[in-house]
Amino acid sequence: MRFDILTLFPAIFPGYLGQSLLKKGIDAGLIDVQLHDIRCWSRDKHHKVDDRPFGGGPGMILQVEPVVECVEAVQQIAQPHGMQPGHLVMLSPRGRTLNQQIVEELAAKPRLLLLCGRYEGFDERVFEILQPDEISIGDYVLNGGEVAAMTVIDAVIRLIPGVLGDEESSQHDSFSSSNLSSGNSSSGNRLLEFPQYSRPREFRGHEVPEVLVSGNHEQIARWRREQSYLQTRKRRLDLLNGSRNQTTADNSDNADSNQ
Ligand code: ADE
C-alpha cells in the first residue's frame, strides 16, 4: 500500500517511519511512504504558502494555489509506474471522526494521499476543487494534520496482510469488523477486545482466570466472547446500542432515555 503525505513539515515524519511495524512493513516492501513538502509548490520567492484571511480575523490560512497544485502533481507522480491516483484524505477537525470502520475502508484502497493542514486551516476553495475525504481524529484541535496523518497510517497498516507478525491478531482488535456482536459491520455493533494475561499466573494475589489455563479451547473462546461483551457493556455501552454518543454502564440511564 502506498501513502503520499503532503505537509509543510516533512521533517516530523522520519522518526516515526523508521520504527517498529511501519519500518518492518516498508523494509518488506508491503508499505511505501513518500513525503512531499507543500512549500515546493509555493509561487512566492520566500516559499510562503499562507496568507491573511479576507474579511479579517486571527491567524493565517493555507493558500489555494500551492495546495491544489501540490495535490495534482503528487497524483500524477505515481502514474508512470502504473499507479492510479490515490484516495485524497484531508486531516481536518471538521471531517468525519475516524473509527475502525473508516480505517477498514481506507485500508482497502491501494493508495492514500494524506493532506496535512497547519495554521488556521485551508482556503475554502481547496475543498471545493479537490473534494477530499475530510477526516478528524477527534473533537479537539491539533496544531496541524501531521499527528492525525500518523494516526491514520498507524491504524491502517495493522490491516495490511503480512504487516502484523500473527496474521490473525488484528481480527481480535477492539472495534474490528471481525469482532462484531451481530456479524453485521454496518450495525456498528463492534466490541472491545477481551482481557489478556501472560506469565506469571499469580502476581500480588491477582490470578489468571482458571479457564485460560484449562487447555479447553472451546471454553476459552466462549469466555473471550463473553468478556468482550461484558467489557463493552461496562465501558462503551454506546457500541452495543449502535449509538454515536459514548456511554458506559455508569451513565447508561442517559443512554436508555436517548433511544
Ligand atoms: N488538524 C487539526 N485538528 C485535527 C483533528 N482533530 N483531526 C485531524 N486533523 C486535525
Side-chain angles (χ1 to χ4, degrees), residues 145-213:
E146 286 76 12
V147 171
M150 288 187 214
T151 305
V152 169
I153 295 173
D154 218 84
V156 165
I157 61 160
R158 295 179 62 75
L159 305 186
I160 298 174
V163 169
L164 295 184
D166 172 359
E167 196 55 57
E168 266 203 88
S169 49
S170 75
Q171 292 181 14
H172 298 297
D173 281 355
S174 294
F175 318 111
S176 162
S177 63
S178 332
N179 190 4
L180 296 172
S181 64
S182 69
N184 175 3
S185 64
S186 61
S187 72
N189 286 343
R190 290 157 181 259
L191 301 182
L192 298 181
E193 199 181 351
F194 48 79
Q196 300 267 38
Y197 299 83
S198 183
R199 286 184 293 177
R201 280 178 64 165
E202 187 270 343
F203 181 65
R204 296 187 185 172
H206 293 256
E207 289 182 9
V208 175
E210 203 55 43
V211 61
L212 296 179
V213 291

Side-chain angles (χ1 to χ4, degrees), residues 91-93 135-138 140-142 144 148:
L91 289 313
S92 149
I135 290 186
S136 162
I137 61 163
Y140 40 81
V141 179
L142 303 168

Side-chain angles (χ1 to χ4, degrees), residues 90-98 115-119 122 134-149 152:
M90 176 190 278
L91 289 313
S92 149
R94 75 180 197 185
R96 53 188 181 136
T97 309
L98 190 66
L115 176 57
C116 308
R118 279 267 149 180
Y119 312 121
F122 293 91
E134 289 178 67
I135 290 186
S136 162
I137 61 163
D139 291 343
Y140 40 81
V141 179
L142 303 168
N143 292 319
E146 286 76 12
V147 171
V152 169

Side-chain angles (χ1 to χ4, degrees), residues 10-246:
I12 290 177
F13 290 91
Y16 165 63
L17 297 175
Q19 299 293 320
S20 184
L21 277 182
L22 192 47
K23 178 172 165 24
K24 278 198 212 153
I26 292 171
D27 290 348
L30 298 168
I31 303 168
D32 179 15
V33 185
Q34 299 295 326
L35 292 164
H36 309 277
D37 187 345
I38 299 171
R39 236 177 263 283
C40 295
W41 280 267
S42 167
R43 294 179 174 197
D44 177 80
K45 65 172 188 252
H46 302 294
H47 303 294
K48 206 166 99 62
V49 287
D50 59 332
D51 209 339
R52 289 188 304 270
F54 281 122
M60 304 284 269
I61 58 168
L62 287 172
Q63 291 174 287
V64 61
E65 303 109 312
V67 175
V68 168
E69 286 169 10
C70 175
V71 169
E72 288 173 348
V74 170
Q75 288 286 31
Q76 278 164 19
I77 286 170
Q79 281 174 15
H81 309 285
M83 202 166 259
Q84 295 299 308
H87 177 71
L88 178 62
V89 170
M90 176 190 278
L91 289 313
S92 149
R94 75 180 197 185
R96 53 188 181 136
T97 309
L98 190 66
N99 59 25
Q100 193 65 20
Q101 201 167 335
I102 297 176
V103 170
E104 286 164 14
E105 199 186 290
L106 297 177
K109 315 264 184 208
R111 183 180 176 209
L112 292 181
L113 262 66
L114 301 170
L115 176 57
C116 308
R118 279 267 149 180
Y119 312 121
E120 297 303 315
F122 293 91
D123 185 308
E124 189 65 22
R125 290 165 294 182
V126 171
F127 302 95
E128 291 168 14
I129 295 167
L130 298 174
Q131 304 201 342
D133 181 4
E134 289 178 67
I135 290 186
S136 162
I137 61 163
D139 291 343
Y140 40 81
V141 179
L142 303 168
N143 292 319
E146 286 76 12
V147 171
M150 288 187 214
T151 305
V152 169
I153 295 173
D154 218 84
V156 165
I157 61 160
R158 295 179 62 75
L159 305 186
I160 298 174
V163 169
L164 295 184
D166 172 359
E167 196 55 57
E168 266 203 88
S169 49
S170 75
Q171 292 181 14
H172 298 297
D173 281 355
S174 294
F175 318 111
S176 162
S177 63
S178 332
N179 190 4
L180 296 172
S181 64
S182 69
N184 175 3
S185 64
S186 61
S187 72
N189 286 343
R190 290 157 181 259
L191 301 182
L192 298 181
E193 199 181 351
F194 48 79
Q196 300 267 38
Y197 299 83
S198 183
R199 286 184 293 177
R201 280 178 64 165
E202 187 270 343
F203 181 65
R204 296 187 185 172
H206 293 256
E207 289 182 9
V208 175
E210 203 55 43
V211 61
L212 296 179
V213 291
S214 68
N216 184 327
H217 296 294
E218 212 172 289
Q219 279 182 18
I220 292 172
R222 190 178 323 124
W223 183 87
R224 285 179 165 167
R225 277 197 303 275
E226 282 166 10
Q227 286 296 318
S228 245
Y229 173 78
L230 292 172
Q231 291 289 332
T232 311
R233 197 176 70 175
K234 182 171 167 207
R235 296 163 192 270
R236 291 292 307 275
L237 199 56
D238 56 304
L239 294 175
L240 293 177
N241 294 339
S243 150
R244 288 177 61 85
N245 299 322
Q246 186 169 337

